[in-house]
Amino acid sequence: MRKVYTRIESISGNVITVRAEGIKNGDLAVVNSVYGSSLANVIRLKHDQVSLQVFAGARGVSTGDEVRFLGKPMQVSFSDNLLGRIFDGSGRPRDNGPELKENMIDIGGPSVNPAKRIIPKNMIRTGIPMIDVFNSLVESQKLPIFSVSGEPYNPLLARIALQAEVDLIILGGIGLKYDDYLYFRETLEEGGAMSRTIFFVHTASDPTVEGLLVPDVSLAVAEQFALQGKKVLVLLTDMTNFADAMKEIAITMEQVPSNRGYPGDLYSQLASRYEKAVDFDEAGSVTILAVTTMPGDDVTHPVPDNTGYITEGQYYLKNGRIEPFGSLSRLKQQVNDKTRDDHRALMDGMIKLYASYKESLEKKSMGFRMSDWDKKLLSYGELFEEKMMDLSVNIPLEQALDLGWEILSQCFEKDETGLRSGLVNKHWPEDAAYGKDTADEK
Amino acid sequence: MDKAAGKVIGITGNMVTVEVDGTIAMNEVGYVIVGDTRLKSEIIRISGTTAELQVFEMTQGVSVGDSVEFTGEMLSVTLGPGLLGQVYDGLQNPLPELAEQCGFFLQRGIYLDALDGTKKWKFSPAVKKGDSVRVSDAVGTVKEGIFDHRIMVPFYLPEDEYTVSSITEEGSFTISETVCTISNTKGRTYDLSMSFEWPVKRAVKTYAERLKPDKPMITKVRLIDTLLPVARGGTYCIPGPFGAGKTVLQQITSRHAEVDIVIIAACGERAGEVVETLKEFPELTDPRTGKSLMERTIIICNTSSMPVAAREASVYTAVTLAEYYRQMGLHVLLLADSTSRWAQAMREMSGRLEEIPGEEAFPAYLESVIASFYERAGVVRLNDGSLGSVTIGGTVSPAGGNFEEPVTQATLKVVGAFHGLSRERSDARKYPAIHPLESWSKYEGVIEKPKVAYVTDLLFRGEEVNQMMKVVGEEGTSNEDYVIYLKSDFIDSVYLQQNSFDPVDGAVSIERQQYVFDRLFKIAASEFEVESKEDARHFFNQLRQLYIDWNGAAWDSDSFQEIEQSIEEKFKQKWISYDSHIKSLRTEA
């Protein structure tokens, strides 16, 4: 019953309509035009009218081109042969390697039964203090990196890919600049991480619709590896491009837009991807880190806004640093009580003081006289930014905590830290610089 | 009545259009048959012989011409013993059983019985032959955990006087066995088992009267119990931008709230959060009963990646279960997280139906739907005179954290307390991040009102001084004003903020709240001898340090008393006098 249809009724945007019978929702088809063949999938059925979105775009498709239905939904090959390989959004090789056809799996499968999930309990160490100390990344977490265009989010992702303690990395690029794609490839090759990495890359020069498949394909593969007991880290960049591609299709389909042209189901669509992050009971895990660029640094833009409600926190990249305000790892409480007894208290205490530093800084910029307390805060803030926040700092967690106490002791007296006395006495460096200074004065 | 049937003629997303043969009703349940699987759906629009159905499952693989069977019934839940401790999806499928059957993933088209049909319950009759009963009166009880679960005359029977024509002896029965037979005034008889069905979208109203909520529901969160109390049978909402701590606040409340039963409706939110509750509750003991917390909890979970239509059903399923237990004279707390996701589910369907959109594309009926949901809360007096209540607390996730959006506004119109979370406070790690000055409550609390008002006023003035200082600087502020600012900041950091992860500070009993607040009130209403701003800041820093340690000391422990002693000493060092306007302190001074 794999009939070929040679009459396309309408073409609008990247959506074509043909009259056909016995077609199932979500089925795949091949559209052959003079510019080559492309996959397409069914997105709406009405009587015998079948609407399909064409992955390679409908540009150049003629009303007389043939549409062949494959009678199955979109699938991707899954095996260890994927490791070290580079594919495009539809799963075709990009690296001149052989095409993989064995063990095809469905993409966009059903969601995991919450009863089969477990509470995440393992920290993924990255060696970046702003992540490890202040907002620990946890296995099975889904976290976006909110960023303005121009921030070094891709280098940050690449560093995490190199340093993170996981078994497998899947990099999904959506609308990735070609240069960035080459950058990722080179960095991971140089760092020797290529053999544990799989690329699914859709570049900005590829047809838009194909980018829509990247998260689904990447996550379907990640899920299978996780079921085999692997710890998988999925890096997606950039999810705003994904949302924009969805917007394009929704508007072509004449759906009522809800907010700035985005479809009403933006939240559900994003959620069904992010929720693939999972820690399986008695198997592996999928962790998702996804770049979401914020147009105009506006966190209330529908894409970052909806994302923030779905994900378990966010890293906020600003001026080349992971900003401590706004950044949040919701799952950190699951792991940061098992690292060291001072981790939690120090984390909160340092941020509270940093918030006061920002206030003092504001007062200073308005020309007010700086009290002694303000001066202490100012010196603290500068030290903190220089020694902890810089993205190039690469030290293990324990060392970072010690550094935190050192910074505090250089700037404050013990009772000014707002931390419980027991902890302060235990961890306060013995040769506390601040205490010594005042002793000398006396 | 013959059940109708139909054929699929169109599919868009999770909505199918069906050509129907026969009589159908709005909100009737139908099944779309795809090969061997039956996909549950609900009629949401009828025009002529075509009907639009929202499918509670993914519609991949559905094709034009697939047949549809209608059931003649509205979407219902099963009510009976065994609900407590269960984890359901939005359609009342038990998730752990589903996992046993299907493994890791939620396969579509598989519907299991909500209650175990084989389990035997020990039934004790409460009526005898010839007694007259009304709808929702108990004919007997079974022991469900720590509660006496009333077996009631089903709510769906018409209002009438019924006579018990037979009742079994005490014994063990399954939920479907007949335990009692009643007949109405016209002589028609009904066999009653221990369970029955009730449509989720209809409120249960078979009680004597609805009362005004006037007793506080203790949450053990200082900021809420002291400043922004919630009443049993009342409603409250927690709007807040993402990351401000809505869900953590809900989780804390679900653990510590002083109610009989907690129903958690995780509606369109993260699966991870449900899992925390799921795995932790069975391990935690309820301090009031000594039993596992799970024994007083029901979880309805339709997480964000589960099908959208079932999300809408989940809040109704949850509130129906809450009403059922209220009919037994129990106090139930329903926590819905988040009502915005439910509103969005409505918006998605409305869009597919191509209805004319209202504000931000939400349907025009948004407000009335939200209002009628919250109105299902309340304290009621039952036919036998006992009281039961349903308290509803819903989180709202406003787009962009802006409270001016339709869902927040529609909710604020109908709730009795507003706990608005603020991004500023959560960024500064001031938890719970409820904004003490912008939020409000219409309910009565447990702490003396004038004292609370005095402290609130102090917080207001402190905020004013703080704002002023941003303009004129510290040097342009008088010492008196500066002390007001320090006092308000002190109260904020040692009383309003609470460390929910601390074993002691995480849940503060009402006695302790009253005790600590009284102590704190004295500081708030005192004048201190300070030489300079530096001196004042130093003094309050030391006080704060003592209080933080005090908050971590167990109630009635030695260290609690020791620290209290140190606080007293510190306090006296600089104390001059009490505010002369306050009578209660005048005598003490």
Side-chain angles (χ1 to χ4, degrees), chain B residues 17 28 109-110 144 156 159 193 203 227 231 251 283 324 337 348 361 369 414 432 516 525 550 562 565 567 572:
Chain B
T17 314
E28 185 175 332
I110 293 177
E144 182 180 15
Y156 58 76
E159 276 296 316
S193 68
L227 294 187
Q251 279 175 348
E283 315 288 321
Y324 175 63
D337 185 19
E348 277 181 40
V369 172
V414 291
V516 173
W550 202 31
E562 275 163 31
Q565 202 56 45
I567 289 174
K572 279 187 183 142

Side-chain angles (χ1 to χ4, degrees), chain B residues 181-361:
Chain B
T181 309
I182 56 172
S183 55
N184 67 5
T185 41
K186 298 191 186 75
R188 186 170 166 198
T189 63
Y190 301 90
D191 289 337
L192 307 186
S193 68
M194 291 198 275
S195 68
F196 60 93
E197 308 261 317
W198 179 259
V200 293
K201 287 185 184 166
R202 279 183 60 193
V204 177
K205 290 199 170 152
T206 51
Y207 42 77
E209 68 173 324
R210 202 174 143 177
L211 308 169
K212 184 169 178 281
D214 53 2
K215 294 257 177 347
M217 181 193 76
I218 306 303
T219 62
K220 296 193 180 159
V221 176
R222 284 189 293 253
L223 179 51
I224 296 178
D225 293 340
T226 306
L227 294 187
L228 305 160
V230 177
R232 274 184 177 172
T235 52
Y236 67 105
C237 71
I238 312 175
F242 59 82
K246 287 185 295 293
T247 306
V248 175
L249 197 57
Q250 290 268 45
Q251 279 175 348
I252 298 166
T253 318
S254 66
R255 279 178 198 190
H256 304 304
E258 292 192 349
V259 290
D260 297 316
I261 289 170
V262 177
I263 299 180
I264 301 171
C267 167
E269 286 288 312
R270 308 174 182 92
E273 284 160 2
V274 185
V275 177
E276 270 174 45
T277 315
L278 227 72
K279 307 277 168 175
E280 281 175 7
F281 269 33
E283 315 288 321
L284 295 172
T285 45
D286 183 350
R288 296 182 315 132
T289 60
K291 295 272 179 73
S292 136
L293 261 185
M294 204 58 204
E295 286 189 23
R296 69 157 196 177
T297 310
I298 307 174
I299 300 173
I300 312 288
C301 113
N302 182 268
T303 60
S304 56
S305 60
M306 285 156 80
V308 177
R311 204 187 283 169
E312 198 209 342
S314 67
V315 294
Y316 288 110
T317 301
V319 75
T320 309
L321 297 185
E323 284 172 334
Y324 175 63
Y325 279 99
R326 174 170 70 184
Q327 291 299 112
M328 296 174 203
L330 296 173
H331 298 286
V332 188
L333 170 64
L334 166 61
L335 295 168
D337 185 19
S338 139
T339 56
S340 292
R341 304 296 157 230
W342 162 49
Q344 282 181 339
M346 274 192 278
R347 175 167 77 182
E348 277 181 40
M349 277 336 285
S350 164
R352 298 228 162 82
L353 288 169
E354 296 176 354
E355 290 171 345
I356 295 169
E359 207 180 334
E360 286 186 25

Side-chain angles (χ1 to χ4, degrees), chain B residues 298-447:
Chain B
I298 307 174
I299 300 173
I300 312 288
C301 113
N302 182 268
T303 60
S304 56
S305 60
M306 285 156 80
V308 177
R311 204 187 283 169
E312 198 209 342
S314 67
V315 294
Y316 288 110
T317 301
V319 75
T320 309
L321 297 185
E323 284 172 334
Y324 175 63
Y325 279 99
R326 174 170 70 184
Q327 291 299 112
M328 296 174 203
L330 296 173
H331 298 286
V332 188
L333 170 64
L334 166 61
L335 295 168
D337 185 19
S338 139
T339 56
S340 292
R341 304 296 157 230
W342 162 49
Q344 282 181 339
M346 274 192 278
R347 175 167 77 182
E348 277 181 40
M349 277 336 285
S350 164
R352 298 228 162 82
L353 288 169
E354 296 176 354
E355 290 171 345
I356 295 169
E359 207 180 334
E360 286 186 25
F362 282 105
Y365 43 82
L366 178 76
E367 282 196 14
S368 60
V369 172
I370 288 179
S372 62
F373 167 70
Y374 279 102
E375 274 301 301
R376 289 175 77 166
V379 194
V380 301
R381 212 185 60 233
L382 304 171
N383 291 341
D384 68 352
S386 56
L387 296 182
S389 72
V390 171
T391 311
I392 299 183
T395 65
V396 185
S397 322
N402 173 13
F403 294 172
E404 301 299 312
E405 57 91 50
V407 184
T408 316
Q409 289 305 315
T411 309
L412 283 181
K413 274 188 194 170
V414 291
V415 293
F418 161 56
H419 299 164
L421 300 186
S422 113
R423 164 80 77 210
E424 250 171 40
R425 286 181 70 83
S426 72
D427 275 354
R429 303 293 188 272
K430 293 178 177 173
Y431 293 119
I434 301 175
H435 200 293
L437 302 178
E438 281 170 15
S439 307
W440 46 259
S441 167
K442 295 177 188 164
Y443 301 117
E444 294 274 335
V446 279
I447 308 238

